[in-house]
Amino acid sequence: DHPSGDLDLPHAIVVRRTYDSLIISTGMKSKQRSMDEKHDKIHYDVTFPGSVHIVELGKTLHSEFVTHPDGICPGGQNTVFMDYDRIIAPVVVRTAKPGDRIQPLGMSGTKKIKSYFIDEKVPRNVRKETLLLLDRESVIWIAGMRLSERVKISDKTRRALKVEIV
């Protein structure tokens, strides 16, 4: 009945359902548990512009000031453009915690990150390693997925910030 879950079988066999996928593996449960614990500890302070290396995931969050034509900045999946003056310091990059919220681009209200992941059918193992960029008020970017409406580039933007995960 549930879209995801796992089952331990004899001989260290684990069966995992993730939405439309069924994965059968050996000895993965204890490895997954230790990986989850490692991802729960991801928490780095961020200074703009600059770079932060996320050791646990082998990724780097890089930011720089850029010019933007007509208030519109194209970005790839791992790149976003933000209105720097709308960001409320301090800023951190970390994984999701219960109660985290974002005002998704194009929406007027906020949404819990957990609900966003469920609605977008993001597999649990991906959720655990998805990075969030947060300022003092809320999540401003779900890395690779969604920017916050609060920090979007507009015609009033004076300083545009390019942020990417590489």
Side-chain angles (χ1 to χ4, degrees), residues 55-70:
V55 177
E56 297 85 348
L57 298 176
K59 296 180 179 182
T60 300
L61 180 108
H62 177 73
S63 62
E64 62 184 319
F65 292 111
V66 295
T67 57
H68 60 286
D70 302 324

Side-chain angles (χ1 to χ4, degrees), residues 50-54 57-62 131 164-166:
S51 295
V52 177
H53 184 64
I54 294 95
L57 298 176
K59 296 180 179 182
T60 300
L61 180 108
H62 177 73
L131 294 171
E164 60 187 335
I165 297 282
V166 290

Side-chain angles (χ1 to χ4, degrees), residues 58-114:
K59 296 180 179 182
T60 300
L61 180 108
H62 177 73
S63 62
E64 62 184 319
F65 292 111
V66 295
T67 57
H68 60 286
D70 302 324
I72 299 170
C73 290
Q77 184 176 9
N78 291 321
T79 303
V80 290
F81 294 85
M82 303 178 192
D83 185 331
Y84 176 74
D85 296 313
R86 307 277 324 250
I87 298 170
I88 305 164
V91 178
V92 299
V93 62
R94 64 169 170 77
T95 51
K97 292 186 179 180
D100 284 342
R101 300 185 79 85
I102 188 171
Q103 180 183 2
L105 192 61
M107 288 182 62
S108 57
T110 63
K111 187 172 201 166
K112 284 188 176 181
I113 298 299
K114 180 179 179 178

Side-chain angles (χ1 to χ4, degrees), residues 1-6 15-23 114 117-125 127:
D1 291 342
H2 300 283
S4 61
D6 44 67
V15 178
R16 176 173 288 124
R17 177 181 177 192
T18 306
Y19 293 101
D20 296 334
S21 299
L22 186 65
I23 301 163
K114 180 179 179 178
F117 285 153
I118 291 168
D119 292 349
E120 296 296 317
K121 298 185 176 175
V122 177
R124 282 188 184 181
N125 61 321
R127 296 176 199 179

